[in-house]
Structure formats: C-alpha cells, structure tokens
Amino acid sequence: MLHPLLGAATADLAVFTVSAIIVLAGAVGVVLARNPVHSALMLVMTLFGVAVLFVEQQAHFLAAVQVIVYAGAIVVLFLFVIMLLGVDKEEVLEVEQLKGQRPTAIVLGVLSLGELLLLARTQWATGAIAVAGPADGPGTNVEKLARSIFTRYLLPFEATSILLVIAVVGAVVLARRPTVAEPDGADEGAKA
Amino acid sequence: MMPVALAHLVAVGDPLFSGGAGDTLATLAIVVLKAVVTFVVLLVGVLFMVWFERKVISDMQNRIGPNRAGPFGILQTLADGIKLFFKEDLLPDRADRRVFKLAPYLSLVPAFLAFAIVPVGGTITIAHHKTFLQLADPPIGILFLLAMSSVAVYGVMLAGWASGSKYPLLGSVRASAQMVSYEAAMGLSVATIVLLAGSLSTHDIVTAQSGGVTNLFILKAGLIPFFIFMIAATAELNRPPFDLVEAEQELVGGFHTEYSSIRFALFFLAEFMNTITMSAVVVTLFLGGPSGPGFHFLTWLWPILWFVAKLFVFLFTYVWLRATLPRLRYDQLMDLGWKVLIPASLGWLLIMAAIQLELWYAGVGLVLGLLAWAMLARAMRVGRERSASTFARGGVTP
C-alpha cells in the first residue's frame, strides 16, 4: 500500500491468499473434526472466508447476505439441531459407519472436483462462461444486483421463492402430528 | 496508490477516500485513529452505562444504589471490573475447553464491530483530510448491523453448550431461538427505512432525514416500524422483558452460569456494548442520528451533542423498561415474535412500498393486508381450539 509496488493488485492478492487459506482450513476442519459442533464452527469459518472473497470481488451485498443467511441462520439451525438431538458427542473416526463409505466418498470427491474444474475451464455445458455480463456501469453493486434480479432474472427469482414456500409448507405438514396436541411455544421454537 | 480493497471495504461515500492524492499513510493513520477512539469511547461508554443503569434503577426502586467509589459512585464499575480481573477463572470439568474459551470473544467482537457503522457526528477535518465522524460507511451499511447481530447468536449459543451443564444449555437454546426469531422482524422494519432512504448506507439514511422534524423516519415511516424495531432490538439484546436467556428463577444464570472472572466480564461488557449500539442504531434509523439545529461557531460540536442527547433517551428507556416490566413467558415471547411482529412488519413494508408508487395502491395493500391478517387470526384460533379439544379428550398434555 505504501510502496508503489504494493498497489491494488498486491492488496487483492494478499486478501485472496489469506481468505483462501481460511476457507480451505475451515473446509478441511469440517471433515476432520471429531465433534459435530466443532465441524459446524469450522463451516462458519469457511463461510466467513467466502464472504471476504465476495467483498474483495466488490460483491458487497452477496458478502452481507452470506453472513446473515448462511453463518447467521443456517449454521445456527445446524447447531440447534445438533444440541437438541444430543448428538454432540465425539465420534470415533476409525470405524466406518456405512460399509464402503470411504472409497465411495473418495470417488465422488474426485468426480466433483473434476466437474468443477471442467465447468470453470470450459463452456460446453452451459454454452457460455458467464451470462450475467460484466458488472461495470453506473450505480452501486446493490442497485445493479436488484436491477438484474427484478428484470432479466425475474422468472427464475420468483420460481425460487415459490420453491422455498413449497419446501416450508411441506416441512410443516410433515412435521405436524395432528392427533397430538403440541405446546404453542415448542412448536414455534422448532420451526425457528 | 489507493488501497483499493481497503477503501471499498471501509468507505465509499467518505471524502477521506475520494481524494486519492497519494497520501496513503495519513489516510491509514486516520482510519486507525478513528478505530482506536471508537473503541475507547465505547469502553468508557459501557463503564458509564453500567453505573447509569444501576443508579436509575435504584432511584426507581427508592434506594440509593452505588455511592462508595468516587463521586456518586461513578467509579463503581471500574472497581467491579478490577475485582473481576483478579477473581479465579473456573473451567468446568465437563466443558468443551476450546469452545468455552472462544465464546466470550464471539459475543464481544460483533458487539464492538456493529458500532462501526453508526454516524456519531458530521464531517470533520483532521490534518487537512475531511472525514465522516463514523468508523466506516460501507455500501451495505445497515446490512452490516444485521450480519453482526446474527453472528452474535454464536457467543450465547456456544457458551451455553460448551459449559457442559444443563441450565446453561437450556438458556442458550432459548436464546438462539429468540434471537433468530426476532431478527426477521428487525430486518423487515429496517427494510422499510431502506425503502424510504433509497440507500443502505447509514450516512445516506441520516442525510435523508435532515432538514426538519417531519423528515425524520420515525414519522415518515408511520411509527409502526419504530415500535417493531424497538421491541425486536430489545429481544435481540436479551434485555428485560425479554431476558429469558438468563431467567434467574428458572435457569440460575442462563448461558453464563459457569463463567467467572474475566470471561464473565467479557459477556457483561458485550451486553452493555450491544445496548449502546442498538440505541445508537435506533437513533440513526429513526431519529436522524446527529442531525439537528446548530450554531455557526463550533460547527463540529452540535451534531455530536444532538447524537448523544438522542442516544440518552433510548439508554434511559431501556433501563426504564427493565425497572417496569415483568419477564414474558416463553410461549408469549414466541407468539409475539412470529404471530404479531413479523406479519405486522411485513404488511407495513408492503403498504409503504405501495405508497412510494401511488397512494391508491396503498389502499389496495391495506385491504389485502387486513384480509391476510383475518385469515391468520382465524387459522391461529382453529389451531388453538383443536389443541384444546385434544387436551380435553385426554391427549398428550402440552
């Protein structure tokens, strides 16, 4: 920053390196931690690293939503379930819980990695590397995002919201047992 | 060279970063200075707030309160803090050691960071550099507050779980459900303000409210978002009447039962820091922050004075609520959050959005909102009657 050589590019590189290390360390930690709660915390670390990467790409809104929704709501829900179900005990990693779990996991992992690399490098699957177009032009990041969501991508956006409503209604219907009276508060708390 | 990543992270509107005329060292120094000053002011603010709360509550309960350390007992908090430092630091046998030690910091850090976006004054000039009197003015502004308040859940939740004991766990499960529930209502009432201001930046939100009482969002947004935000913020803070998290009669001390010494002090600090931050955010969102009439001399001073004066109203209100209201029952808390506050804030957001377009849309929105509310009320009534009849038939008791 202070030296001409340490310009914007170097700052970007430094931010990227640090957050990439955080993301990867968190991801490895999720798999290696013996305690489910520790795994969940490692996941939070990964999500924070991704949020920093978003900020570094000038996608401020995505970064905020990443923290609010993923770190603030979804992992909290994970922890909630882990604590309520009482599965927050250390697990023995030497024994396979399902037979043939590990070889399958390795094969699937390699396949996913190959798929990601393929999609990142080529474009035959989607026809174009990116369809959203460059994010330059006037207006802040939030304005541009709003404009593209509510004009060009309105239909996918609304379809997603309908999907979410269906999922919520489905979850409530499945979770309810009509013959058993449930206390109001407990019912509400479980949904929260 | 501008530190681009830093500049975009910290500020877009701040004139400190718009110059770009080489002088990075000074820019950096000013940012660091602002961060240090904010931290110190917050810490001193907490010291004062603890004393203020104890003194005001004593007055309301017709007793004297702290009066030994310093004039009017104003140094009592300092004495308590020093005492806590030297207490034995207990670590329960069944605790999860690492998480137990981490949790207090997860409470404290978001509490401090959230204050960064609050504008405490106008624009000042330090060493020929103009800058806003706020630590950061990020383009996502108020979303940063919501992010921090959703991260703050972790401190409480993990503290209770890591203690390896049942009362703290019960307290933390209550807390996380409560904080996640009220976050939705809080976010929706903030959305109304963002809609009116047309910007997420806290500086823009304050600017949009300058120039007269009628411009303040508390009136422009029609009072309802203000009350919803106040209730939701009190619940987020776990302050009375929503302090079920540490209900002494039921849970000993709630999530921090097993904490002692400096770790307990950190939770205490975080709680009061959050109280100050939330009051400051209410002032920013609804009462125009530092804007208010001033004089032509000492122009930098009047906005700060206005801000502090408005802040005091809310700090006093929180203490007043604590002295006046009994604690809610858990099901009442959840009913209030999910069945009253969220529908009300959602409906009001739709009506305000309609008013922005055309007035008659708002009429349509109001009618539809009332219809939806009637259906919701009917559904809740049916549900209540059904569970009552199951109870009468000898079903599982609630």
Side-chain angles (χ1 to χ4, degrees):
Chain A
M1 267 180 278
L2 310 175
H3 192 271
L5 279 177
L6 294 171
T10 322
D12 276 359
L13 186 67
V15 172
F16 173 77
T17 315
V18 172
S19 42
I21 290 171
I22 291 175
V23 168
L24 289 178
V28 172
V30 172
V31 184
L32 291 185
R34 287 166 176 236
N35 191 314
V37 174
H38 292 177
S39 288
L41 287 181
M42 287 293 173
L43 183 58
V44 176
M45 195 166 111
T46 301
L47 295 171
F48 264 96
V50 174
V52 174
L53 283 176
F54 278 141
V55 172
E56 202 249 336
Q57 296 286 323
Q58 312 297 319
H60 299 106
F61 187 78
L62 276 183
V65 170
Q66 169 91 3
V67 174
I68 295 173
V69 174
Y70 283 91
I74 291 183
V75 182
V76 167
L77 201 65
F78 285 1
L79 282 174
F80 206 72
V81 171
I82 291 171
M83 289 175 186
L84 279 184
L85 293 185
V87 289
D88 52 344
K89 304 288 178 295
E90 304 254 318
E91 281 188 19
V92 187
L93 292 176
E94 278 74 43
V95 188
E96 280 191 293
Q97 302 286 333
L98 297 167
K99 224 175 179 184
Q101 188 182 14
R102 281 193 192 152
T104 321
I106 291 171
V107 170
L108 286 179
V110 170
L111 275 179
S112 316
L113 186 67
E115 186 190 359
L116 274 179
L117 289 176
L118 203 69
L119 287 178
R121 288 280 156 208
T122 63
Q123 55 191 55
W124 58 265
T126 50
I129 286 179
V131 285
D136 45 11
T140 62
N141 174 258
V142 182
E143 282 168 22
K144 277 182 272 193
L145 190 73
R147 208 169 289 284
S148 76
I149 283 182
F150 288 109
T151 55
R152 189 167 173 189
Y153 299 105
L154 183 65
L155 191 65
F157 180 70
E158 294 294 338
T160 313
S161 63
I162 291 172
L163 188 70
L164 285 174
V165 171
I166 293 172
V168 169
V169 172
V172 171
V173 169
L174 287 177
R176 260 196 99 79
R177 284 179 230 128
T179 47
V180 179
E182 284 161 331
D184 277 6
D187 191 15
E188 239 57 53
K191 269 183 274 172
Chain B
M1 267 290 199
M2 273 295 294
V4 174
L6 181 73
H8 279 278
L9 190 65
V10 176
V12 159
D14 198 328
L16 182 62
F17 297 96
S18 61
D23 204 359
T24 345
L25 195 60
T27 311
L28 203 65
I30 289 173
V31 171
V32 171
L33 180 75
K34 285 206 293 191
V36 171
V37 168
T38 313
F39 190 58
V40 170
V41 166
L42 258 184
L43 281 182
V44 174
V46 168
L47 283 183
F48 175 75
M49 176 64 195
V50 175
W51 169 82
F52 177 72
E53 173 149 0
R54 293 178 67 175
K55 224 38 185 172
V56 171
I57 284 217
S58 315
D59 277 353
M60 288 180 180
Q61 294 170 344
N62 211 359
R63 56 192 174 85
I64 294 167
N67 66 343
R68 295 286 135 182
F72 307 105
I74 200 163
L75 296 176
Q76 185 63 45
T77 320
L78 199 63
D80 287 344
I82 293 170
K83 189 186 78 174
L84 273 173
F85 262 103
F86 291 108
K87 285 274 183 182
E88 187 189 354
D89 182 21
L90 294 168
L91 194 69
D93 262 354
R94 296 181 57 191
D96 185 311
R97 304 177 77 90
R98 266 178 297 173
V99 179
F100 188 82
K101 286 177 182 167
L102 177 71
Y105 299 99
L106 286 181
S107 265
L108 185 67
V109 171
F112 167 63
L113 285 183
F115 196 82
I117 57 156
V118 175
V120 292
T123 311
I124 55 158
T125 309
I126 309 172
H128 307 297
H129 289 270
K130 275 190 162 191
T131 183
F132 292 156
L133 263 181
Q134 83 188 79
L135 185 49
D137 182 28
I140 47 166
I142 200 69
L143 285 183
F144 185 76
L145 169 85
L146 295 179
M148 284 307 116
S149 81
S150 59
V151 170
V153 181
Y154 282 102
V156 174
M157 195 173 193
L158 292 172
W161 174 79
S163 298
S165 153
K166 61 187 168 192
Y167 289 127
L169 182 66
L170 284 172
S172 71
V173 168
R174 275 186 185 185
S176 35
Q178 174 181 336
M179 288 165 99
V180 172
S181 308
Y182 279 79
E183 224 157 66
M186 200 167 101
L188 285 168
S189 55
V190 168
T192 319
I193 300 305
V194 172
L195 191 74
L196 288 173
S199 170
L200 289 166
S201 146
T202 42
H203 185 262
D204 292 351
I205 289 175
V206 166
T207 316
Q209 296 177 74
S210 58
V213 178
T214 46
N215 280 346
L216 296 183
F217 284 155
I218 184 176
L219 295 177
K220 251 187 160 178
L223 286 173
I224 290 178
F226 170 74
F227 285 114
I228 290 174
F229 189 91
M230 272 302 279
I231 296 171
T234 315
E236 282 285 306
L237 294 171
N238 297 320
R239 278 189 66 93
F242 301 106
D243 60 338
L244 289 98
V245 177
E246 41 189 303
E248 293 86 353
Q249 296 89 335
E250 305 154 28
L251 296 174
V252 191
F255 67 97
H256 56 52
T257 305
E258 303 287 353
Y259 280 86
S260 58
S261 183
I262 187 67
R263 295 190 219 285
F264 171 75
L266 289 180
F267 278 120
F268 201 71
L269 196 63
E271 189 178 324
F272 278 87
M273 225 179 230
N274 272 326
T275 309
I276 296 177
T277 305
M278 272 300 178
S279 311
V281 169
V282 174
V283 169
T284 305
L285 287 179
F286 296 97
L287 289 174
S291 58
F295 300 99
H296 285 297
F297 56 97
L298 286 176
T299 41
W300 57 273
L301 182 67
W302 308 114
I304 301 178
L305 285 183
W306 272 112
F307 177 78
V308 172
K310 290 170 185 173
L311 186 65
F312 251 95
V313 175
F314 289 97
L315 292 179
F316 180 78
T317 310
Y318 277 125
V319 180
W320 192 9
L321 287 178
R322 176 175 160 191
T324 317
L325 294 175
R327 187 180 296 133
L328 266 76
R329 220 169 49 214
Y330 190 70
D331 59 320
Q332 293 171 332
L333 175 88
M334 283 300 165
D335 278 0
L336 179 67
W338 287 93
K339 295 176 182 169
V340 179
L341 290 188
I342 292 180
S345 51
L346 196 58
W348 196 253
L349 175 65
L350 287 179
I351 291 172
M352 287 311 286
I355 289 178
Q356 301 295 307
L357 287 174
E358 251 180 271
L359 209 55
W360 69 269
Y361 281 143
V364 176
L366 189 65
V367 171
L368 287 178
L370 285 177
L371 210 65
W373 179 77
M375 279 165 68
L376 185 71
R378 176 76 192 138
M380 286 191 292
R381 203 192 146 112
V382 168
R384 209 174 301 133
E385 276 167 5
R386 194 168 292 169
S387 50
S389 68
T390 319
F391 178 65
R393 283 203 315 271
V396 179
T397 48

